Amino acid sequence: MNFVTPNKEEINPILQLLLLLFYALIGGFVFGLLAVVINLMIYGLGLVSNFDLLISGDPKYITGFKIIQILSSIGTFILPPIALALTMQRKVTDFYSFKKPQVLLVVLVMIIMVVSMPFMEWTVMFNQKMVLPDFLKGIEQWMKEKEDAAMKITYAMIKVRSNLDFVVNLIMIAVLPAIGEELMFRGGVQRSITKAFNSPHLAIWITAIIFSAIHVQFYGFVPRMLLGAGFGYLYFYGGSIWYAVLGHFINNAYAVCAAFYMQKHNMPLNKADEPIGFPWYGYLISAIITIALFKFFKDSAERERKLD
């Protein structure tokens, strides 16, 4: 399936990927530098000696850390795919297929995200039980340390002191990643790989693997890869990137809202990581219904296109 109708011949899709990577590196560097300058303006030159505290999410510098996260999302994920589309002399809305979403398909995306939660919980538990062979114990220890560090940063980010903090978190964790990461991975990477190999399914799974790997959280690799594949199929079947953006937003916004609720009710944030604990058949039913809903989404999208 073609997401766009080219007005002119595009450059080689592999070159598009390289160009996208180049723009991401440039955008990440420029906006990272901008974030550092803003932080120096806020905290003064004394920040230089405490820079490790800033990038580790220390509560003293959490505002500065959030500035880095927000600008990083813009520079690394949102602007590069836009720059690629403009380089191809195409409208961004056409290049990445920002077609108007259909109400039925929007509702289906919301249902899919809710129904899939038990199955995704099972994949999280499965992934967290990963044990490497004895000769890789050093690597396993390093992976666990990285995971613990990432978790500490996550807890620091989602802590709220006011309703404004909640809004900022929602923008930083849900809105910007949903737009930026879907533009970058589904719009940019998946689209180019599809064109390169003429295999949408291969492109979806390769992109999902890259999407998960880029987060560098080893004990969440499998569920994040499956999420990425799910967003990829929403994009592919729906013919509009809005469905993937919506699914991504719902997934991230749920975590932000859950953390906000827990803090309002004086519940420790680490409780959010504890599984609800469905019976085995609950996870199985969730998986079966999720697959059936994706099939229904695909069929409904095809019917909508025929009506158009």
Side-chain angles (χ1 to χ4, degrees), residues 73-74 76-81 174-188 241 245 248:
S73 288
I74 296 171
T76 307
F77 297 115
I78 295 179
L79 293 183
V175 176
L176 292 179
I179 296 172
E181 292 180 13
E182 291 313 304
L183 267 177
M184 170 63 77
F185 292 103
R186 257 55 67 178
I241 202 168
V245 170
H248 199 142

Side-chain angles (χ1 to χ4, degrees), residues 146-157:
K146 292 286 290 183
E147 198 76 13
D148 290 343
M151 193 60 65
K152 285 178 63 177
I153 290 175
T154 299
Y155 288 154
M157 282 198 302

Side-chain angles (χ1 to χ4, degrees), residues 33-277:
L33 191 61
L34 177 60
V36 170
V37 171
I38 293 174
N39 273 291
L40 287 172
M41 292 172 63
I42 294 174
Y43 298 109
L45 293 176
L47 177 64
V48 175
S49 59
N50 293 317
F51 197 73
D52 57 330
L53 295 177
L54 171 66
I55 60 176
S56 65
D58 186 274
K60 181 180 178 181
Y61 299 107
I62 194 61
T63 298
F65 183 79
K66 289 184 177 183
I67 290 172
I68 292 175
Q69 288 294 114
I70 290 172
L71 291 179
S72 176
S73 288
I74 296 171
T76 307
F77 297 115
I78 295 179
L79 293 183
I82 292 175
L84 178 63
L86 296 178
T87 303
M88 298 296 104
Q89 298 182 346
R90 298 285 302 281
K91 289 183 178 180
V92 174
T93 52
D94 292 338
F95 197 67
Y96 298 116
S97 189
F98 277 89
K99 294 178 182 176
K100 181 181 178 181
Q102 302 296 320
V103 175
L104 173 61
L105 300 184
V106 167
V107 173
L108 282 174
V109 171
M110 292 189 288
I111 295 174
I112 286 171
M113 295 307 298
V114 173
V115 170
S116 64
M117 284 182 177
F119 173 66
M120 294 307 299
E121 177 183 285
W122 178 84
T123 65
V124 170
M125 293 189 298
F126 171 80
N127 199 164
Q128 288 178 345
K129 293 177 181 178
M130 177 178 63
V131 178
L132 299 182
D134 288 340
F135 70 93
L136 294 176
K137 286 301 179 183
I139 295 177
E140 183 176 336
Q141 182 62 35
W142 173 76
M143 289 166 58
K144 288 181 177 179
E145 289 173 358
K146 292 286 290 183
E147 198 76 13
D148 290 343
M151 193 60 65
K152 285 178 63 177
I153 290 175
T154 299
Y155 288 154
M157 282 198 302
I158 60 179
K159 283 184 179 178
V160 294
R161 295 157 294 182
S162 64
N163 290 336
L164 177 60
D165 276 345
F166 170 70
V167 173
V168 171
N169 286 351
L170 199 61
I171 293 171
M172 175 181 64
I173 297 172
V175 176
L176 292 179
I179 296 172
E181 292 180 13
E182 291 313 304
L183 267 177
M184 170 63 77
F185 292 103
R186 257 55 67 178
V189 177
Q190 180 176 311
R191 180 185 184 278
S192 295
I193 295 177
T194 299
K195 286 181 172 293
F197 297 100
N198 195 29
S199 175
H201 299 288
L202 178 65
I204 287 169
W205 285 100
I206 290 177
T207 303
I209 291 170
I210 297 171
F211 169 72
S212 186
I214 207 77
H215 287 81
V216 199
Q217 287 181 276
F218 309 99
Y219 290 90
F221 182 87
V222 173
R224 190 170 282 109
M225 178 189 68
L226 292 176
L227 272 175
F231 299 151
Y233 279 109
L234 291 176
Y235 182 33
F236 174 57
Y237 290 148
S240 171
I241 202 168
W242 282 121
Y243 303 119
V245 170
L246 175 61
H248 199 142
F249 172 79
I250 291 172
N251 179 74
N252 291 21
Y254 170 78
V256 175
C257 293
F260 183 65
Y261 173 85
M262 294 177 75
Q263 290 172 84
K264 283 291 185 180
H265 291 80
N266 298 313
M267 300 167 65
L269 286 175
N270 58 10
K271 290 289 184 182
D273 294 326
E274 295 181 0
I276 295 174

